[in-house]
């Protein structure tokens, strides 16, 4: 579905600035291998399925009532999870949860964005950031990454200070490139953002696949630092739609203003609570996916493709003879759905099961440069 400006009827008072937008989303095609949306390929283990079913069953009779509007238990469990990973001491006052980290970002931009604000990100990065900015009528400016996709930190700080945004976005590990920004560089960006009273939003959707310390460890020093996370990737929980942010209590207070009342259903809260109670089981495959990422990267590099150094559950690669769109189609014709992220000469593949990865590699190696 596309929506060029001329298609909208005159009786629909759609905002002028939205008329040229198309709905966001990767193709959803059945009967093919799904290596395009960075999901965890492993279904939930049976004991976790049972734990989630039990927890949901306990809540079903109460569906006549609205859910806990503040999702207190879930936020406590998320705070404990982060504390365990990062040796921090956050409480529910530092955590906000919503239907996926995309909703978290939208609620944040509703609070801190808008026409009189300005948001800055460094391209290429997660394309939903500028999209949510646009939807919330927040002007967006793009800084740029190096041709290798790393961030020149001095240039980034300079860009922040000259552009003077209210919000700065960093994704690490970055999507679609997979590379990380060292914590020392995030420190410098947080410092620059603080000096102009801007909020730094660090999107850590893929943090569990990375060796780098989380930016949550800097929140104590920088009250202007917000870290967004998701259960969609490492927790294999994309279908449940649970994302969250970790931040200073004042940020959480602001989220209470712009969230919709009862935004997180009782069933979602129950499922996420049970998932967090079973976090080791749910994340049992994370290390395996990391080792598969390393194995695939090495096979692809040895075959002559260039592969961006990734600490996420996907790889961005180049070196195939035809265009990205033709090569994307080549894979699709062979039953493998990967992602054309709009970077000329590059494609992105999600790490799947061994069988899925082997199918991908078999077809890729036929394109050996
Ligand atoms: C960098 C980044 N942030 C956020 C998200 C959104 O995740 P969620 O499923 O929690 O909305 C994604 C999803 O792919 C992502 O790549």
């Amino acid at each position: 579905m596309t929506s060029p400006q001329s298609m909208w009827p005159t009786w629909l008072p759609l905002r002028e600035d939205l008329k040229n937008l198309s709905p966001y989303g990767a193709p959803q095609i059945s009967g093919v291998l799904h290596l395009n949306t960075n999901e965890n390929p492993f279904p939930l283990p049976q004991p976790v399925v049972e734990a989630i079913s039990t927890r949901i069953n306990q809540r079903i009779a109460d569906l006549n009532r609205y859910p806990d509007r503040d999702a207190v238990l879930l936020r406590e469990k998320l705070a404990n999870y982060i504390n365990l990973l990062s040796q921090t001491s956050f409480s529910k006052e530092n955590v906000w949860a919503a239907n996926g980290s995309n909703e978290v970002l939208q609620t944040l931009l509703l609070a801190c964005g808008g026409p009189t604000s300005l948001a800055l990100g460094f391209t290429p990065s997660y394309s939903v950031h500028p999209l949510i900015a646009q939807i919330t009528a927040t002007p967006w400016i793009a800084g740029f990454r190096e041709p290798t996709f790393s961030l020149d930190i001095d240039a980034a700080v300079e860009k922040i200070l000259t552009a003077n945004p209210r919000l700065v976005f960093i994704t690490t590990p970055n999507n679609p490139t997979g590379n990380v920004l060292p914590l020392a560089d995030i420190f410098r960006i947080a410092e620059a953002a603080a000096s102009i009273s801007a909020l730094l939003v660090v999107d850590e959707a893929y943090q569990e696949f990375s060796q780098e310390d989380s930016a949550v460890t800097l929140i104590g020093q920088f009250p202007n630092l917000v870290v967004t996370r998701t259960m969609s990737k490492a927790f294999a929980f994309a279908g449940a739609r649970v994302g969250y942010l970790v931040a200073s209590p004042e940020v959480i207070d602001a989220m209470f203003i712009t969230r919709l009342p009862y935004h997180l259903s009782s069933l979602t809260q129950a499922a996420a609570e049970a998932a967090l109670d079973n976090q080791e089981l749910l994340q049992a495959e994370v290390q395996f996916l990391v080792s598969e990422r390393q194995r695939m990267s090495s096979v692809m590099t040895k075959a002559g493709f260039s592969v961006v150094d990734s600490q996420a559950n996907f790889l961005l690669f180049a070196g195939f003879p035809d265009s990205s769109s033709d090569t994307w189609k080549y894979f699709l014709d062979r039953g493998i759905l990967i992602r054309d992220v709009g970077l000329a000469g590059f494609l992105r593949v999600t790490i799947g099961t061994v069988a899925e990865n082997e199918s991908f590699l078999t077809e890729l190696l036929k394109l050996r440069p």
Side-chain angles (χ1 to χ4, degrees):
M1 176 180 157
T2 50
S3 39
Q5 189 142 19
S6 56
M7 266 182 50
W8 296 107
T10 49
W11 53 260
L12 185 69
L14 182 64
R15 272 169 36 199
E16 280 303 322
D17 58 324
L18 298 183
K19 284 190 173 164
N20 279 324
L21 284 186
S22 306
Y24 173 87
Q28 291 192 305
I29 302 172
S30 53
V32 293
L33 302 185
H34 289 114
L35 301 179
N36 67 329
T37 47
N38 302 339
E39 293 153 324
N40 188 318
F42 296 102
L44 277 59
Q46 197 51 34
V48 186
V49 171
E50 280 157 26
I52 292 173
S53 310
T54 306
R55 186 79 60 112
I56 286 180
N57 278 334
Q58 288 162 355
R59 303 267 168 99
I60 290 179
D62 294 330
L63 284 180
N64 58 317
R65 300 289 177 197
Y66 283 113
D68 174 0
R69 201 175 39 215
D70 299 343
V72 169
L73 183 57
L74 175 59
R75 286 164 52 223
E76 273 166 4
K77 286 182 187 289
L78 288 166
N80 291 342
Y81 168 67
I82 291 293
N83 290 338
L84 194 71
L85 290 185
S86 293
Q87 288 82 52
T88 43
S89 50
F90 295 115
S91 67
K92 67 176 191 316
E93 276 75 32
N94 298 101
V95 175
W96 178 256
N99 297 283
S101 55
N102 287 336
E103 188 185 57
V104 169
L105 289 164
Q106 180 172 292
T107 309
L108 184 65
L109 264 83
L110 285 170
C112 300
T116 57
S117 185
L118 179 65
L120 164 70
F122 294 92
T123 310
S125 191
Y126 185 44
S127 59
V128 171
H129 295 159
L131 179 65
I132 294 177
Q134 190 162 6
I135 286 164
T136 58
T138 310
W140 175 272
I141 45 170
F144 293 98
R145 289 171 174 261
E146 299 292 287
T148 56
F149 305 122
S150 63
L151 198 62
D152 175 335
I153 194 65
D154 292 328
V157 166
E158 181 67 26
K159 180 79 187 172
I160 291 166
L161 298 179
T162 51
N164 196 27
R166 297 280 64 79
L167 294 135
V168 178
F169 284 81
I170 291 287
T171 306
T172 182
N174 189 38
N175 181 10
T177 58
N179 56 325
V180 291
L181 193 66
L183 201 61
D185 288 352
I186 294 183
F187 185 98
R188 288 202 48 205
I189 291 183
E191 222 171 25
S195 75
I196 55 163
S197 300
L199 206 60
L200 171 59
V201 183
V202 180
D203 185 332
E204 289 190 349
Y206 301 96
Q207 174 61 24
E208 285 92 341
F209 300 98
S210 160
Q211 293 297 311
E212 193 66 40
D213 282 345
S214 165
V216 297
T217 55
L218 299 178
I219 291 172
Q221 293 167 78
F222 294 105
N224 63 317
L225 175 56
V226 175
V227 178
T228 62
R229 306 275 292 239
T230 181
M231 292 181 74
S232 296
K233 314 293 178 180
F235 274 93
F237 220 48
R241 310 302 300 125
V242 183
Y244 55 103
L245 64 71
V246 186
S248 314
E250 294 82 355
V251 175
I252 313 305
D253 290 344
M255 302 296 278
F256 277 100
I257 307 285
T258 49
R259 60 111 171 90
L260 289 172
Y262 313 108
H263 67 293
L264 207 49
S265 86
S266 306
L267 302 182
T268 305
Q269 292 185 41
E273 289 160 20
L276 283 155
D277 288 346
N278 289 275
Q279 54 193 253
E280 293 86 5
L281 269 176
L282 267 179
Q283 295 198 4
E285 309 290 358
V286 167
Q287 277 322 304
F288 168 80
L289 291 169
V290 168
S291 66
E292 271 298 277
R293 177 189 77 211
Q294 288 159 346
R295 180 182 77 84
M296 284 178 72
S297 174
S298 135
V299 171
M300 291 159 73
T301 309
K302 279 191 192 125
F305 296 94
S306 68
V307 184
V308 180
D309 190 18
S310 169
Q311 290 208 29
N313 66 338
F314 55 84
L315 293 169
L316 186 75
F317 64 98
F320 36 85
D322 294 327
S323 67
S324 303
S325 52
D326 286 351
T327 310
W328 178 83
K329 179 79 169 47
Y330 161 90
F331 280 103
L332 187 58
D333 290 345
R334 286 153 185 79
I336 302 167
L337 184 57
I338 60 171
R339 190 73 171 262
D340 180 354
V341 293
L343 278 176
F346 287 90
L347 285 168
R348 193 191 71 192
V349 61
T350 304
I351 311 301
T353 61
V354 171
E356 290 170 337
N357 299 337
E358 281 307 310
S359 302
F360 166 77
L361 287 173
T362 303
E363 300 305 336
L364 179 73
L365 295 191
K366 294 177 190 163
L367 305 178
R368 200 185 289 257

